[in-house]
Amino acid sequence: MKGRYGSRCESSERIARQVPRPHDKEITGHELEAAVAHLSAFNAGRSMETEGLVTMDGKCMFHDSRLEALFNRSNEAAERKQWISTTVHAALWATSAAICLSQCTDTMSRLRTLAIQLLCFAASMAVTVWAFRQGSIACRLQLWSTLLHYVESFRRNEEHEAHASLLAEELDEVKHRERVLYEQLFRGQRRVPGQNWTGRRDFLLAAPESACISPAEWGSPELAIPLALSDQLPDWDAAVRAASRIRDPSYGLLDFYVDVRRAFPELQLYTALLTESKEGHTDVSSGFTRNEEYHRAIGSLFAVYWLARLGIDGERGFSFGVDDEWVPRQPPTAEALESSPELQMRMQFYEHQEWEGLQQLLRDARMLRGEDGSLDVDVEMMTAMLVLCAMHEVFKVEALLPRVLPEHAPFHGFAGGDVINDHDLALYYVLACHPSTLPSFSRLNQAQKRSVLFTQSKLSFNHGWLLQAEATPHALFANLKRVVAAGEAGPADMSFYFVHWLTDLAGAQPTPLDGSEKLVLAFPHHALCSFIRSFHVLSDLATDTETQVYESHLENYWEEIRPELGLSEPPEGKHAIALMRLVCQAQTPDRQLAILQAWEHLGPEDQQVLCDEMSRTGFADQLYERSPSSSADGPAFLIYYSPQLLRTLAPDTALEALNLLAEIYRRARELWPLEPVPLGADEGSDDLRTVTIRVDQLKKLSMEHIRQVYANNNSWLLCKRNAREAVVECHSIDYIAEQGAHGAGAAVLKLWRRK
């Protein structure tokens, strides 16, 4: 202790061995002051490391005067006790020596006794001093360890505060990146105005903003499409990466989305707008918003991703979607299933879907190669499918509809100057006549282009039309039979088409992160199984007529639903085909029963219209066996979206739905009077066999909303767009005169309430 005894402490080496070794970082004066302040109020002990603050020159003392002063203050009581102990010890020694000396009779004895007592006293005092100094050293080390404990605590607190500050800065950076990420990833494109995306997983799904198309550019794909694309080019490295890594377990859905979003600029086309809206027209013919149509395209791409990953996590992603981290959800627990009918449907789909059949379909389409244990991706065919899914629905956007140029006319019955409203045919026209306007398609090689064009041109076959009995035999099968008969389509081409159809349907609901909800929740499971089993239709066309194949499908469907609905044998007579088609279009049991009951109460005029029009085949030499039409005259009508229209109105207003459908057929016949259907027309001729009537604007409306139009001094009109198409639109009555002035016909649909 400082100058109190003046004796030397242990050697420097021994002290160095007793003092713990240092941390890398020296203690600062600020830290030392803070630790001293804490130690002045508390006593603690921890084993820490240090060096340099205990002298190594033999003086057992702190090098820092603040620590020495603190030690002296805390050690004063121990020093007082030591002084008292020494004094008592000396007094006892003196008393003992006096007693011993008094017992000695001679001088020599007294001297020997005194010498012995002095030696014992000196030895005792040396031991006492040594023990006290050892205790002092231990106390100093304990004090130092406690100080270092506080210093280390301060440092940890500072580290925590620094980490918290860093996290706050990172959070600010994330918020900033959220604002600029779209520009960084997608070349400066902006979100569609009015969207409010807040979810972590939903942010990137915000649709990009596209340029507006002026009336001067509308109808000219060579002008409108480059403008809407802002002259962007595909990122082909990203496209190949999306295709080649699609079965890589470490390649997540978010990685895939970012790649396809960068790869295909055509995804920007879904938000294109006209600078001047056309009366009665909507931005998107499907009835969805532009943002929702974009999500449907993304859903189709995601369906390709999940189907390609069957056996990895594709079944879970397809059935349950992904969580907030874009990771496929796990199957729900039994407790969760009990309280959620939706989860029960998802679980049933997950457990009972024929996943092997779907994976085999991709192998048949040459998108995957090998067996289950060692599947590889055919990058070329997978890339072709991704390109097709990215651009397939873009011509549902009204601003992009193409007008047939005179040098391309006639084009599948469309004359020069006609606007093609059918999105499939519009896409085929642009791919065939303006291929350079779609840059991703232009990057494909000839084999890939052939596969994509085949799905749009060679077949002209919409499988949804078959499953829902939406189209006529001519519209559905004419081109397909010609291709099958000519041997132009191989099994891989057919399978590639069916994969495209399946993914298109899987993405029909604008909820791409929640799995393929259209098939999982909204599509009858037996209908999907029927689709997978329906490929025999292709072989039947080699021997049977189009009408025979179509009628056979209706009969098979009736037999499938008979047990559930309690139906008798398939009907026969003039109403047979109309009734079977309506039941097929209704899809779900409650709506099907409502349609059957409504048919019994339907007026005879409407019944006759439906029987006649829904029994027309579009062929001069083909009639239905169960319900032959009074004549083979035409054209036949394809009411586009009639199944969805029926499902919207049934079961609550099923009778009104049949009245509405009959009225549409009736007014369409006014615009296209009956005439003989030509025999043996070639592909692409302008002979009228089937006319398409689009009911996009009606398909999601209730009868109340449909009739409300008339109360607002407007009317529902069937507007003839060209020789092959008409559209139901809401207009003022004066619009009929405007249509007539431009050489186009229109008819008023009398959909108001009948007395």
Side-chain angles (χ1 to χ4, degrees):
M1 284 160 281
K2 190 175 181 180
R4 190 65 63 109
Y5 292 102
S7 61
R8 300 181 65 84
C9 65
E10 301 293 330
S11 67
S12 300
E13 292 77 6
R14 185 176 178 182
I15 293 177
R17 286 196 300 270
Q18 293 181 7
V19 177
R21 301 313 304 162
H23 285 291
D24 294 336
K25 184 177 179 181
E26 292 186 359
I27 299 176
T28 65
H30 170 72
E31 292 172 336
L32 186 61
E33 290 178 359
V36 169
H38 279 75
L39 288 171
S40 298
F42 303 97
N43 290 321
R46 294 290 189 273
S47 179
M48 304 286 288
E49 295 182 359
T50 185
E51 72 169 340
L53 295 179
V54 178
T55 59
M56 295 293 115
D57 58 357
K59 298 287 185 179
C60 186
M61 56 186 295
F62 285 110
H63 182 67
D64 190 276
S65 60
R66 292 167 295 183
L67 284 178
E68 188 66 27
L70 174 63
F71 178 79
N72 289 334
R73 286 196 301 272
S74 62
N75 206 44
E76 285 178 355
E79 290 181 352
R80 284 195 298 271
K81 290 179 181 179
Q82 180 64 24
W83 274 108
I84 294 172
S85 175
T86 302
T87 302
V88 170
H89 188 76
L92 290 174
W93 174 81
T95 303
S96 175
I99 294 173
C100 290
L101 289 175
S102 65
Q103 299 297 321
C104 295
T105 57
D106 55 13
T107 303
M108 290 301 296
S109 296
R110 290 176 180 173
L111 290 174
R112 285 194 298 269
T113 299
L114 181 62
I116 292 171
Q117 289 292 333
L118 286 173
L119 289 174
C120 290
F121 177 74
S124 176
M125 289 300 298
V127 171
T128 300
V129 170
W130 178 84
F132 183 78
R133 289 186 63 79
Q134 292 301 312
S136 175
I137 293 173
C139 289
R140 289 175 184 274
L141 292 175
Q142 183 179 17
L143 176 64
W144 181 248
S145 297
T146 304
L147 178 140
L148 288 185
H149 165 75
Y150 280 107
V151 170
E152 191 68 19
S153 298
F154 299 151
R155 289 178 178 176
R156 284 197 299 267
N157 289 339
E158 289 178 353
E159 289 176 358
H160 292 162
E161 291 175 0
H163 185 59
S165 177
L166 180 61
L167 289 178
E169 293 177 359
E170 289 180 354
L171 181 59
D172 291 339
E173 177 65 19
V174 168
K175 292 179 179 179
H176 173 70
R177 288 173 61 193
E178 181 183 11
R179 293 191 296 270
V180 303
L181 188 56
Y182 220 86
E183 288 80 357
Q184 292 175 341
L185 288 179
F186 307 136
R187 307 180 183 90
Q189 298 168 23
R190 295 173 292 171
R191 308 184 207 181
V192 171
Q195 296 182 50
N196 183 25
W197 294 97
T198 56
R200 287 185 59 199
R201 68 179 196 158
D202 293 335
F203 166 70
L204 289 179
L205 288 179
E209 183 179 8
S210 177
C212 291
I213 310 301
S214 69
E217 295 147 348
W218 183 71
S220 301
E222 70 279 6
L223 299 177
I225 294 178
L227 176 63
L229 289 176
S230 304
D231 293 321
Q232 294 185 70
L233 297 176
D235 185 338
W236 209 243
D237 289 338
V240 172
R241 183 167 56 248
S244 61
R245 296 193 61 196
I246 199 167
R247 280 189 60 82
D248 183 347
S250 65
Y251 188 63
L253 182 66
L254 180 57
D255 301 321
F256 175 77
Y257 174 71
V258 171
D259 278 338
V260 297
R261 187 63 189 82
R262 292 179 64 95
F264 308 126
E266 289 85 355
L267 289 170
Q268 185 173 331
L269 296 175
Y270 290 97
T271 59
L273 266 178
L274 287 170
T275 55
E276 299 179 11
S277 60
K278 294 179 176 291
E279 183 181 356
H281 289 235
T282 56
D283 294 336
V284 184
S285 64
S286 63
F288 289 95
T289 65
R290 296 178 296 140
N291 188 56
E292 288 172 335
E293 198 61 51
Y294 168 78
H295 286 164
R296 296 176 76 197
I298 296 300
S300 179
L301 288 164
F302 284 5
V304 176
Y305 175 85
W306 296 128
L307 290 174
R309 294 173 69 87
L310 293 179
I312 302 174
D313 54 14
E315 297 91 338
R316 289 188 289 120
F318 199 95
S319 304
F320 304 111
V322 295
D323 59 20
D324 287 345
E325 302 297 331
W326 291 64
V327 176
R329 294 189 179 104
Q330 295 293 337
T333 62
E335 182 179 356
L337 287 173
E338 290 180 1
S339 59
S340 175
E342 177 186 320
L343 287 181
Q344 294 172 14
M345 295 177 66
R346 291 181 182 273
M347 192 67 180
Q348 183 179 13
F349 185 92
Y350 174 73
E351 292 179 337
H352 297 99
Q353 180 52 46
E354 300 175 3
W355 298 112
E356 297 82 1
L358 295 179
Q359 191 175 76
Q360 183 61 47
L361 182 60
L362 267 68
R363 287 201 291 263
D364 293 342
R366 297 179 302 177
M367 296 168 62
L368 297 178
R369 299 172 298 195
E371 298 302 324
D372 295 346
S374 59
L375 282 177
D376 295 323
V377 178
D378 188 305
V379 177
E380 285 194 358
M381 295 306 296
M382 188 66 73
T383 304
M385 179 58 68
L386 295 179
V387 170
L388 177 58
C389 290
M391 68 184 181
H392 175 240
E393 308 286 353
V394 295
F395 291 102
K396 288 183 178 179
V397 179
E398 291 275 341
L400 301 176
L401 291 177
R403 191 187 305 275
V404 177
L405 295 179
E407 57 267 29
H408 300 147
F411 184 84
H412 284 257
F414 288 88
D418 284 348
V419 174
I420 304 176
N421 294 277
D422 183 293
H423 70 278
D424 288 312
L425 195 55
L427 177 60
Y428 175 46
Y429 172 74
V430 172
L431 293 179
C433 302
H434 304 279
S436 61
T437 60
L438 295 171
S440 297
F441 178 75
S442 299
R443 284 297 304 267
L444 298 176
N445 61 37
Q446 290 304 313
Q448 292 171 306
K449 288 180 179 178
R450 176 186 171 278
S451 296
V452 171
L453 281 170
F454 178 79
T455 65
Q456 302 303 306
S457 60
K458 292 292 185 183
L459 291 179
S460 296
F461 174 65
N462 186 322
H463 209 91
W465 288 353
L466 174 63
L467 295 182
Q468 301 178 106
E470 185 174 358
T472 65
H474 170 264
L476 185 60
F477 289 131
N479 283 342
L480 178 58
K481 183 170 178 68
R482 183 165 36 249
V483 169
V484 171
E488 299 176 15
D493 296 315
M494 294 294 186
S495 298
F496 188 83
Y497 166 79
F498 285 120
V499 171
H500 163 59
W501 181 89
L502 182 65
T503 57
D504 187 48
L505 184 62
Q509 294 284 34
T511 53
L513 294 177
D514 292 322
S516 298
E517 289 196 330
K518 179 66 175 180
L519 294 181
V520 176
L521 300 178
F523 201 79
H525 188 67
H526 67 83
L528 181 59
C529 294
S530 297
F531 159 71
I532 298 174
R533 296 191 301 265
S534 66
F535 299 150
H536 72 274
V537 168
L538 303 179
S539 58
D540 291 345
L541 281 173
T543 56
D544 297 341
T545 67
E546 295 90 337
T547 301
Q548 288 172 335
V549 172
Y550 192 82
E551 189 169 9
S552 175
H553 166 71
L554 294 177
E555 293 169 350
N556 291 336
Y557 182 80
W558 189 277
E559 292 291 347
E560 285 182 8
I561 65 174
R562 272 184 62 191
E564 185 174 5
L565 299 184
L567 302 177
S568 59
E569 296 289 332
E572 294 191 26
K574 66 177 184 179
H575 66 286
I577 298 301
L579 199 57
M580 288 194 292
R581 286 185 64 185
L582 290 169
V583 168
C584 192
Q585 291 184 17
Q587 290 290 305
T588 59
D590 58 334
R591 294 183 176 93
Q592 290 168 334
L593 288 173
I595 291 295
L596 291 171
Q597 294 171 3
W599 181 268
E600 300 299 327
H601 298 89
L602 189 63
E605 291 184 3
D606 286 347
Q607 274 196 7
Q608 188 63 46
V609 169
L610 293 177
C611 288
D612 290 343
E613 300 298 347
M614 298 188 78
S615 299
R616 301 193 188 279
T617 65
F619 292 102
D621 54 352
Q622 296 183 26
L623 299 175
Y624 292 104
E625 293 182 6
R626 289 185 175 272
S627 183
S629 177
S630 56
S631 72
D633 292 343
F637 294 124
L638 190 169
I639 309 297
Y640 211 135
Y641 292 123
S642 61
Q644 187 169 349
L645 178 63
L646 284 182
R647 292 195 292 270
T648 299
L649 298 177
D652 296 335
T653 55
L655 180 59
E656 288 86 346
L658 296 183
N659 289 329
L660 186 155
L661 196 58
E663 177 66 8
I664 294 173
Y665 275 117
R666 185 181 292 112
R667 302 310 163 192
R669 185 55 65 197
E670 290 181 3
L671 297 177
W672 279 274
L674 285 172
E675 59 183 31
V677 174
L679 276 170
D682 294 328
E683 180 183 7
S685 73
D686 58 359
D687 292 325
L688 287 178
R689 292 169 177 250
T690 300
V691 168
T692 301
I693 309 296
R694 304 184 67 91
V695 295
D696 309 60
Q697 294 187 28
L698 290 175
K699 67 179 183 179
K700 289 187 175 182
L701 300 180
S702 66
M703 284 306 302
E704 180 181 357
H705 286 94
I706 291 173
R707 288 171 174 150
Q708 189 176 358
V709 166
Y710 298 99
N712 297 330
N713 297 320
N714 288 318
S715 181
W716 290 106
L717 304 180
L718 181 60
C719 303
K720 189 173 183 179
R721 291 285 181 84
N722 51 61
R724 290 184 173 270
E725 294 178 309
V727 182
V728 175
E729 296 174 339
C730 179
H731 291 284
S732 65
I733 297 297
D734 296 337
Y735 186 75
I736 296 180
E738 296 178 14
Q739 285 283 94
H742 292 86
V748 177
L749 296 178
K750 300 177 181 179
L751 305 180
W752 50 81
R753 190 182 303 277
R754 297 179 179 179
K755 295 183 179 180

